[in-house]
Amino acid sequence: MTNSVVISGSGLWNPPHSISNEELVEAYNAYAQQFNAQNGDAIEAGTLSAKPLSSAEFIQKASGIRSRYCYIKDGVLDINRMRPNIPERPEEALSDQAEMAIHAAKLALKAANKTAQDIDVVIVSCAYTQRSYPALAIEVQNALGIKGFGFDMLVACSAATFALHRAYEMISAGTAKGVLVINPELTSPQVNYCDRDSHFIFGDVATAMVVENADTASSQHVFEIVSTKAVTQFSNNIRSNFGYVSRANDVDPYAADKLFHQEGRKVFKEVCPMAVVHISEHLARHELTSADIKRWWLHQANINMNSLISKKLLGREATLEEAPIVLDQYANTASAGSIIAFSLHHQDLQAGDYGLLCSFGAGYSIGSLLVRKK
């Protein structure tokens, strides 16, 4: 490698609709009361569990979430539907996720002072894609007029950081001149809005980043990728089982076990120490400590998880300036959370400042990037 690899631009696109905790709880509680009334005999007989009620205060205390963006709000708060009403588009039309991706991509290209001619690889990496093929990345590549190639990646909540790893490696190897990494997180169709413990967790968003050689970067805010680190360890504690094989299994493809579900306490107990070790080892590789890091752009799943991880790393509570929290407004946006935090909180850093992007999620999977402001 003759030149350092940099992140030269980021883009953040918010859907036009948002749902507050209060709105979500009002709809869920009305659904739960209706469910309990309709199934009173079975609940009394003990063959069916009653739906517990929720509260906005419970959600905020459990997660730190106050609201979330939603690609299509219609249908989510309808107690006789409890899922977004997203009209199917004809095959010749731009797909929903490609449209989200293009919004974020254009913002990232503008921030990086780049055009389609400067990019030769497009990676669309997220927790869910709305179809198997053709790849969303190739659809986005075509819509933006980019020459080269594109591909999709699915690594759950570490999809964005893992894709940035691939971009870093391609630029380092000289197999690409400019890589556009996009994370169109359309999570709402996989949310079980009928489940008190998970109906509030996710939000929709799209993020993007441009990765290139330092000698071609011309934007105002450029961050050198010092190094990357990734680890995976199999766990069943976070699952989303929806897939085409359900058709052959002769089961309900939209049953609760096919949507997002998790063993939240187990995830918290197992992922937090795993993330602390991962980050500490990454910094130690460069003879750095947590005190050397100016900004922590951590995965945005749960405020209590972020607080514990940062406290273990720093030996004290992190300030919001050190470790920004965005999940109060965005909720858990799967792989996009740390990229949102970066997009909103990077321009104030000074040349030479270190920052660390880190995601952790299903798999388990953890991906981190140590970066330095140019």
Side-chain angles (χ1 to χ4, degrees):
M1 183 175 64
T2 57
N3 297 295
S4 61
V5 180
V6 302
I7 296 169
S8 57
S10 64
L12 167 61
W13 177 78
N14 302 331
H17 311 289
S18 67
I19 301 176
S20 68
N21 285 351
E22 289 75 13
E23 289 178 287
L24 202 63
V25 165
E26 182 180 2
Y28 167 78
N29 283 348
Y31 162 79
Q33 291 167 340
Q34 176 178 269
F35 176 92
N36 293 340
Q38 292 174 343
N39 296 277
D41 292 343
I43 292 171
E44 187 173 349
T47 58
L48 188 67
S49 297
K51 292 283 185 182
L53 299 184
S54 186
S55 71
E57 294 75 21
F58 161 77
I59 293 173
Q60 187 177 339
K61 182 178 179 180
S63 65
I65 297 168
R66 294 176 181 269
S67 65
R68 71 283 300 142
Y69 287 98
C70 193
Y71 178 64
I72 296 291
K73 187 173 182 177
D74 179 47
V76 174
L77 305 179
D78 180 349
I79 66 172
N80 295 310
R81 180 178 177 85
M82 301 297 280
R83 62 188 187 277
N85 184 10
I86 303 176
E88 186 177 35
R89 297 184 176 186
E91 290 190 354
E92 62 271 17
L94 192 68
S95 66
D96 294 287
Q97 263 184 306
E99 181 177 308
M100 293 173 65
I102 288 168
H103 285 307
K106 288 181 177 179
L107 293 171
L109 289 170
K110 181 179 180 181
N113 289 329
K114 298 298 175 185
T115 67
Q117 287 66 45
D118 299 308
I119 304 297
D120 50 4
V121 179
V122 176
I123 306 175
V124 166
S125 191
C126 45
Y128 305 101
T129 53
Q130 69 181 98
R131 63 166 185 265
S132 297
Y133 47 80
L136 288 167
I138 302 176
E139 182 182 12
V140 171
Q141 175 196 355
N142 177 70
L144 292 175
I146 293 172
K147 304 297 182 182
F149 66 94
F151 60 92
D152 295 347
M153 286 181 62
L154 298 176
V155 201
C157 288
S158 291
T161 53
F162 275 46
L164 288 169
H165 291 184
R166 305 291 80 75
Y168 168 79
E169 291 162 356
M170 284 188 282
I171 298 295
S172 298
T175 57
K177 64 178 182 179
V179 182
L180 182 59
V181 175
I182 320 174
N183 324 107
E185 289 293 7
L186 181 57
T187 63
S188 54
Q190 265 283 318
V191 174
N192 185 353
Y193 290 102
C194 301
D195 176 46
R196 187 199 69 162
D197 294 334
S198 66
H199 76 119
F200 59 86
I201 292 178
F202 288 100
D204 298 330
V205 78
T207 56
M209 283 186 161
V210 173
V211 180
E212 60 179 316
N213 266 314
D215 63 352
T216 62
S218 62
S219 59
Q220 183 178 0
H221 301 285
V222 177
F223 287 79
E224 176 190 4
I225 300 176
V226 179
S227 69
T228 66
K229 180 176 171 62
V231 65
T232 56
Q233 176 182 306
F234 184 74
S235 169
N236 260 324
N237 289 330
I238 311 173
R239 290 190 72 97
S240 181
N241 295 319
F242 177 80
Y244 74 99
V245 178
S246 294
R247 178 173 179 264
N249 295 150
D250 294 333
V251 296
D252 180 3
Y254 309 113
D257 68 301
K258 302 300 185 292
L259 305 177
F260 166 84
H261 57 286
Q262 68 173 346
E263 296 287 341
R265 291 181 177 85
K266 290 182 179 179
V267 172
F268 189 95
K269 182 178 179 180
E270 295 172 4
V271 170
C272 287
M274 187 177 170
V276 171
V277 170
H278 175 95
I279 293 171
S280 298
E281 290 178 349
H282 194 171
L283 297 181
R285 187 196 305 173
H286 300 277
E287 299 183 347
L288 297 172
T289 68
S290 299
D292 296 311
I293 305 302
K294 180 74 171 180
R295 187 69 39 84
W296 304 86
W297 301 291
L298 299 178
H299 178 58
Q300 304 283 314
N302 182 291
I303 194 170
N304 301 307
M305 180 177 286
N306 284 34
S307 297
L308 178 59
I309 291 171
S310 57
K311 188 174 183 179
K312 290 288 187 181
L313 289 167
L314 293 170
R316 57 173 173 80
E317 296 286 346
T319 67
L320 291 178
E321 181 182 0
E322 292 172 310
I325 296 295
V326 301
L327 62 83
D328 55 341
Q329 178 183 353
Y330 285 87
N332 183 340
T333 51
S335 76
S338 60
I339 312 301
I340 297 172
F342 177 92
S343 297
L344 295 176
H345 301 281
H346 73 275
Q347 295 185 3
D348 62 315
L349 295 189
Q350 304 300 309
D353 285 345
Y354 283 101
L356 187 120
L357 276 155
C358 188
S359 62
F360 27 91
Y364 295 131
S365 59
I366 301 180
S368 57
L369 295 93
L370 177 65
V371 301
R372 182 169 51 209
K373 182 75 175 287
K374 297 284 283 185

